[in-house]
Amino acid sequence: MAARRSPPGAREREGPRAPAAGSDQVHSWMLVTSQALGTVWRIAKGSVMLAASCLVAALCYFRRMHCNFGHWLKWWIGYLQRKFKRNLSVEAEVDLLSYCAREWKGETPRAKLMRKAYEELFWRHHIKCVRLVKRDNYDALRSVLFQIFSQGLSFPSWMKEKDIVKWTEFSGIKDYHKRGSMCNILFSDVLLEYKLYEALKFIMLYQVTEVYEQMKTNKVIPSLFQLLFSRETSSDPLSFMMNHLNSVGDTCGLEQIDMFILGYSLEIKIKVFRLFKFNSRDFEVCYPDLPPREWPEISLLTENDRHYHVPVF
């Protein structure tokens, strides 16, 4: 049987269908692709925004952490400094004239006098620096003891080595810097310091007792002890201890006559520059005033006969 042919009109009507189907397919693919890209963009945009938010939050967190850590670290450093810093009762050297300019400003008569006195020390006595000593009722003893230890001076001839172990530790050291390090250790130990100052007071009492016994046997004694025993409040060693020596360090410092006794007991010449006595014969005094020539010399300076500092030549 012969195959049935389609009418020509039908073929013409069916001809354009293939291109329409291809266009729909392309359109579909474009729509799907557009939707996919939109979805991907939304996801990516959300991820980027989330990451940015997390980054900002992290930066804010670490900024707060850094700030808090900085405060914590600053507090901890301050604590450690307060905990371990040596509280030296004899400070490091400072420039003499700079110290004077800082302490004695203004145009009062006393300020002018002090500036002239410090200039005298600088130019005539070649004192370039000063060590400031803690201001209390032990500072005269502290200043003297520091000079003895820092210079490595020998102990008095009448003392036995076994009685003064700490002294021999310093006097046996020849290296200046090592003695300085040991002085820094010693003069940052409050309890040890006070024990040494009380030991110095005992040495003074011992020497007063020795001279008093000599006086009772009609031996010639130094004039300073004659002056000491002529006072009602120190007519004998006991009254000297009760009325004067016991108070040193607690309610008062050393008087001038005590400085004489200290120098005599330690067999040293204590030269003191009394700045408030500038332009007078009492500007520079020695305790004792006529020591044997072989006694070593140490120097102090004072602005008022109550508090002393250590000059550095």
Side-chain angles (χ1 to χ4, degrees), residues 54-65:
C54 292
L55 180 61
V56 171
L59 289 175
C60 292
Y61 173 76
F62 282 112
R63 184 178 180 182
R64 288 195 298 270
M65 283 285 293

Side-chain angles (χ1 to χ4, degrees), residues 96-97 116-129 271-275 277-286 297 299-301 311-313:
L96 183 76
L97 295 184
K116 290 180 180 179
Y118 275 105
E119 290 173 0
E120 175 81 1
L121 295 182
F122 186 88
W123 295 110
R124 184 173 179 182
H125 297 278
H126 309 291
I127 298 174
K128 306 304 180 184
C129 297
K271 179 188 290 186
V272 179
F273 295 99
R274 305 168 75 203
L275 305 188
K277 294 290 186 179
F278 179 64
N279 274 341
S280 74
R281 58 180 297 181
D282 295 325
F283 173 66
E284 183 180 333
V285 297
C286 293
E297 178 181 300
S299 296
L300 309 178
L301 64 85
V312 180
F313 293 85

Side-chain angles (χ1 to χ4, degrees), residues 22 48 52 59 70 78 119 123 129 160 185-186 198 201 208 227 257 259 270 272 276 299 305 307:
V48 170
L59 289 175
E119 290 173 0
W123 295 110
C129 297
K160 296 180 180 179
I185 295 173
L186 171 60
E198 291 301 315
K201 289 164 60 176
V208 167
L227 176 62
I257 193 168
M259 295 289 285
I270 305 175
V272 179
F276 67 103
S299 296
D305 269 351
H307 299 296

Side-chain angles (χ1 to χ4, degrees), residues 41-53:
W41 169 248
R42 286 195 297 272
I43 294 174
K45 183 179 179 180
S47 299
V48 170
M49 293 185 67
L50 178 62
S53 299

